[in-house]
Structure formats: structure tokens, C-alpha cells
Amino acid sequence: MEKKIKLLGILILLIFASCKKSSKSPEIAIQNPEIEIQVLSQNLSFPWELLWGPDNFLWMTERGGRISRINPSNGVISPLLTISEVKSQGEGGLLGMVLHPNFSVNPHVFVVYNYDKSGVYIEKIVRYTYNGSSLINPIIILDNIPAANYHNGSRLLISPDFKLFITTGDAVNANSAQSINSLSGKVLRVNLDGTIPADNPIAGNALWSLGHRNAQGLVFANGILYSSEHGPEKDDEINIIMKNRNYGWPNVNGFCNESAEQAFCNSNNVVEPLKNWTPTIAVSGMDYYENGPLAQFKNSLILATLKDQTLYQLRLNTAGDKIEETKELFRSTYGRLRDVCVGADGRIYVLTSNGSNDKILVIKAK
């Protein structure tokens, strides 16, 4: 009897220790009876960007070169343009897109894509003008960004002060992420005409931050710029992007928790992530839910993942500088998830990325 009591005590202690360990980084799977998920549109081919336009329509890119508008009430897709020079190779092609915030006055659409330039696979940012039915008058904003079959980054964002932010991958040349003379592995910042802002860290240089491997999520909220970034076999990251700061790649993965990493972090002003995942889950597009009919998502980053096939809610603290809780909205239900968009209607829209009959999903209150 005494031996059984001792064994029972040890078992209780082990369970308690296990619960304490898991509570440090809660990953909660939820079945929420207050929401429903529907398919809004389908028969898409490798869609990459989904955003809510100032015209209250969804806008979408597909990697093969097509740009479309989608009616959020019925899912009807209206193609606007197929860019013929787009070269979809590996994970490259037509990628990120952003619309001018003052769209009624300046109906400009910025896109980033990969193409063949004199036999070299390269990336550029082009601005189009929307005339009510199509996209016209292409103007190159930035060209000669290194590209590759993988690690092209390519999320675009226009900040409240009308600066264009661009994530670039290392284009499978890891060391370029630490070079101030390379556009690879960076968050770049330019004016909307492609010129370099006078208050950038280095005069005449588009660099805003460096040491990035492949950031594919970018959102501005709480006065903070957040990114999601692919790690190698470990340490996918959620970061706060700061001016003239180093994010470590390829010398640092995730936190500065190894001796070699600590030395590099101390001497290179490295920013540690808000959160990391090991093994990697392939973090991709991300948006912010501020407030709305889906009250349970208030003050949260909503994150799409590819390998993990999961949509995550990352609840922030009031200051927006910490992730307090992580919840799974759904897992392994719709396959790989490329991007997520929070609409002005308070709904959440999600792009799948399976290469066959891809879909736009809509999450709404019941």
C-alpha cells in the first residue's frame, strides 16, 4: 500500500510539472460555436495575396500572373489583368499587392513579381492605375531585386505616412541578408514613387531592417509593424520590425539562446522574435483583427500557415508588444493556407494554397 501511495504521488508530480511546462506557451485548439466557415470562391490557381480594398471589394493575386477583384457578398471573381511577363518558377511569380490608401483619388495598385530579365530571374515592383474595369499604365517603382525559385519574401504594405514597405527573401543566398549593399533578406522602405525617403537608416538606401530569411507576412497595427518569417528547419518567427535593426539571419535562428548567437546578437543590435515555432510550421500571410462582430478575435494577429495547415489567432497584450495567447482556429481542414485578410465588414477571409481548386474561405459570426 505504501509503495502504491508513493507511485501515485510521483505520478501527480509528473502531471503537475507537465502542465506547468505547457502553460508557458499555450497552443489551444478551439471549436468555436459562435463562428461559421464557408467557401466564398473556388477554382483558383496558387493564389498568393488577398486584401480588402478601399472600394470594399477583395483583391487577389495568383502566382501565374492574374489580378482579380472579388465581390465579398457572393464570391464572384472579376479578372482585371494577367501580366504576361510574370514567370512563375518554383515558388516565384506574381506575389504581393497593396492598394493606395486614398484609392478614390489615387487608384494605384502596387504589385511585386518575378520575371526573366536578360536571362536572369529577377523581381520588381510595378504600379498600375485602376480605371474601373482594368489595370493600365504600368510604372516600375523598384527593379533588380534578386529572386530565386524559393525565398522571395514579397509582402507589400503602405504605412499611415504613405511609405511602401517591402519584404524580400534571401533568394537562397543566406549571406546576402547581412549585406547593406544587397536588396535581399531585408525589409525595404521607399516612397510611393520609388525614391528613397530622407529618413531611411542609410542615405540613398532602401534598407529599413536586415537579417531576414523569408518574411511573407506584414501588417501594421497598434503603431507597430509586425512580420511573420520562415525559418529553416526550426524557428519560424513573429517579429516586430524596427528601423535599422538586425534580425539575425543567417547567424541567428529565433532567440539569442546559443553561445555563438549571443555573441552575434550583442554586437549586431539583433531583435529577438515575439514568438517562434520549432519545428517550423511555415508561417505565411498575416492580418490584424482590431474590433468587430467576431469579438473573440479582438486585438489579435491572424496567421495563415502552409506546412501546418492551420489558421492561428495570436492574442496581443494591450501595448501590442507581447503575444499573450495562441489559439488554433482550424487545422488540416482546407490544406495549406497562404494568406489571411480582415475585411472592413468584420469578417476574416483566408486563401488556400494547394495548387488545385484553391479557395477563398470566409469566417463570420453565426
Side-chain angles (χ1 to χ4, degrees), residues 39 41-50 60-64 88 90-95 150 155 216 230 281-285 304-311 330 332-340 349-361:
V39 174
S41 305
Q42 53 189 341
N43 297 318
L44 308 174
S45 177
F46 286 116
W48 208 91
E49 177 77 59
L50 187 68
M60 177 185 68
T61 65
E62 291 169 273
R63 224 163 59 197
S88 181
E91 293 181 354
L94 174 59
L95 303 173
Y150 307 100
R155 197 65 67 180
Q216 290 191 348
H230 290 265
I281 59 175
V283 295
S284 192
T305 65
L306 295 159
K307 184 171 69 175
D308 207 39
Q309 301 183 10
T310 300
L311 190 69
F330 56 79
S332 300
T333 306
Y334 303 99
R336 292 160 57 86
L337 308 176
R338 172 60 68 182
D339 197 20
V340 59
Y349 298 86
V350 184
L351 278 183
T352 70
S353 183
N354 300 304
S356 175
N357 189 23
D358 279 315
K359 300 174 176 63
I360 299 174
L361 312 171

Side-chain angles (χ1 to χ4, degrees), residues 115 134 138 220 300 316:
Y115 73 110
S134 60
F220 190 87
S300 296
L316 299 166

Side-chain angles (χ1 to χ4, degrees), residues 17-37:
S18 175
C19 291
K20 277 188 71 177
K21 184 177 180 181
S22 64
S23 68
K24 291 180 182 179
S25 179
E27 300 269 349
I28 304 168
I30 60 172
Q31 298 294 325
N32 197 317
E34 299 175 6
I35 66 172
E36 61 178 329
I37 303 171

